[in-house]
Amino acid sequence: MRTLVDIPDEDIEKLDALAARSKRSRAAAIREAIRLYLLNTSGNDWIARGAGYWKHRDDIGDAVEYQRAMREDRSFD
């Protein structure tokens, strides 16, 4: 697919320099940038944002201790 995008001149200069250093075309550099952007902004990023969210709370107790207590109370009739 082809698309038209307005990019500031200073960014084009940097993009061209980057493309030249890596010996690829401007279009290839843009495709790679889009691919990396999509990989980094989709999927499971909510996991990373939420990891450790409650780690400083002392009012909810330890989850592992809670699970062990629940398992000990379980009866097998």
Side-chain angles (χ1 to χ4, degrees):
M1 179 189 96
R2 291 184 181 263
T3 188
L4 179 65
V5 178
D6 290 324
I7 300 174
D9 290 339
E10 65 183 42
D11 290 344
I12 291 292
E13 291 172 9
K14 292 176 185 176
L15 179 62
D16 286 343
L18 176 67
R21 280 195 306 272
S22 59
K23 296 181 178 162
R24 59 187 173 168
S25 67
R26 179 193 295 170
I30 291 171
R31 283 191 296 269
E32 176 71 8
I34 291 170
R35 187 182 68 77
L36 291 173
Y37 174 78
L38 293 173
L39 283 173
N40 290 327
T41 59
S42 62
N44 294 332
D45 64 330
W46 61 271
I47 293 173
R49 287 193 317 265
Y53 186 71
W54 289 348
K55 69 181 177 183
H56 298 296
R57 289 186 53 183
D58 55 4
D59 62 323
I60 59 175
D62 183 56
V64 175
E65 289 176 17
Y66 175 78
Q67 291 173 15
R68 287 183 181 140
M70 292 298 291
R71 289 182 184 130
E72 289 173 5
D73 290 342
R74 189 183 325 164
S75 61
F76 297 98
D77 296 298

